[in-house]
């Protein structure tokens, strides 16, 4: 896994520390999730973006391992949200799949994410444009398949991790995500 840190060239309110990482296997994606978990604390909101099969749930599985939560982390597509309580006294993991939800925050209000957020880590797959209002401080993780010859790059993903808001302005340890992560 390779990483580089840069400032996102976006609107002032959306700027923050950014790291780009190349992940070459599902196992490495899960390890990246464990590393990200080491940076998270109660109240953190993580938005995951990527096409179907990109590795969002695999990354979240690693987050769950890193946070030490109970239960198998699987895609919550049909139940919309799953809560995984901590086994270590840390924050619970609230794993949300907003794929089937078309509206913005109003449609998500029934999930009471704003109530869960202060004491949990809330991870929302397909959350872009739907839950940003929950927190001024959030981590955006975008997973894209690497472009190239299919046989060689099938498991390779380009992952961009960008912190938004005061919590992440100085990077909050995003540089710790760098380092070799491969099979």
């Amino acid at each position: 896994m390779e990483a580089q840190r840069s400032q996102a060239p976006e609107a002032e309110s959306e700027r923050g520390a950014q790291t780009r990482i190349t992940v070459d296997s599902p196992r490495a994606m899960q390890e990246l999730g464990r590393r990200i978990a080491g940076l998270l604390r109660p109240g953190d909101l993580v938005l995951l973006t990527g096409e179907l099969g990109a590795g969002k749930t695999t990354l979240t599985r690693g987050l769950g391992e890193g946070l030490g939560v109970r239960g198998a982390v699987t895609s919550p597509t049909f139940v919309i949200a799953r809560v995984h309580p901590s086994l270590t006294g840390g924050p619970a993991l609230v794993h949300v799949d907003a794929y089937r939800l078309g509206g913005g925050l109003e449609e998500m209000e029934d999930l009471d994410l704003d109530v869960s957020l202060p004491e949990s880590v809330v991870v929302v797959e397909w959350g872009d444009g739907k839950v940003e209002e929950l927190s001024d401080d959030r981590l955006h993780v975008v997973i894209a398949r690497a472009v190239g010859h299919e046989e060689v790059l099938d498991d390779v993903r380009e992952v961009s991790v960008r912190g938004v808001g005061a919590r992440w302005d100085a990077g909050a340890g995003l540089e710790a995500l760098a380092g070799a992560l491969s099979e």
Side-chain angles (χ1 to χ4, degrees):
M1 179 161 96
E2 302 166 12
Q4 44 183 286
R5 188 166 175 226
S6 64
Q7 286 292 333
E10 297 168 12
E12 190 65 31
S13 63
E14 292 292 311
R15 284 194 356 204
Q18 181 169 321
T19 299
R20 287 190 174 88
I21 304 139
T22 300
V23 178
D24 64 3
S25 68
R27 183 179 299 161
M29 183 68 76
Q30 206 162 329
E31 175 59 26
L32 176 60
R34 284 189 288 273
R35 286 187 184 192
I36 292 172
L39 303 177
L40 299 176
R41 61 186 186 206
D44 280 341
L45 174 63
V46 180
L47 302 180
L48 301 180
T49 302
E51 63 188 36
L52 288 170
K56 296 178 298 296
T57 300
T58 301
L59 181 87
T60 306
R61 191 170 297 122
L63 288 171
E65 289 174 5
L67 292 170
V69 300
R70 184 179 75 213
V73 175
T74 59
S75 177
T77 299
F78 298 105
V79 295
I80 309 295
R82 283 199 171 95
V83 177
H84 298 274
S86 176
L87 295 172
T88 63
L93 172 65
V94 178
H95 184 197
V96 180
D97 186 330
Y99 182 72
R100 295 184 302 141
L101 303 176
L105 192 57
E106 303 80 34
E107 189 174 352
M108 309 251 336
E109 282 181 354
D110 289 339
L111 299 176
D112 288 331
L113 294 179
D114 54 336
V115 173
S116 301
L117 189 58
E119 70 275 352
S120 305
V121 169
V122 176
V123 176
V124 183
E125 296 186 27
W126 306 96
D128 281 350
K130 297 178 183 175
V131 297
E132 287 89 343
E133 296 170 25
L134 284 174
S135 178
D136 290 335
D137 300 311
R138 57 196 175 274
L139 203 59
H140 286 251
V141 179
V142 179
I143 304 169
R145 294 181 192 270
V147 178
H149 193 271
E150 285 284 324
E151 290 82 11
V152 176
L153 300 176
D154 190 42
D155 286 337
V156 178
R157 305 290 190 265
E158 300 296 331
V159 182
S160 171
V161 181
R162 180 175 49 90
V164 174
R167 157 114 164 79
W168 301 100
D169 276 350
L174 291 181
E175 64 278 355
L177 301 178
L181 275 182
S182 58
E183 286 275 308

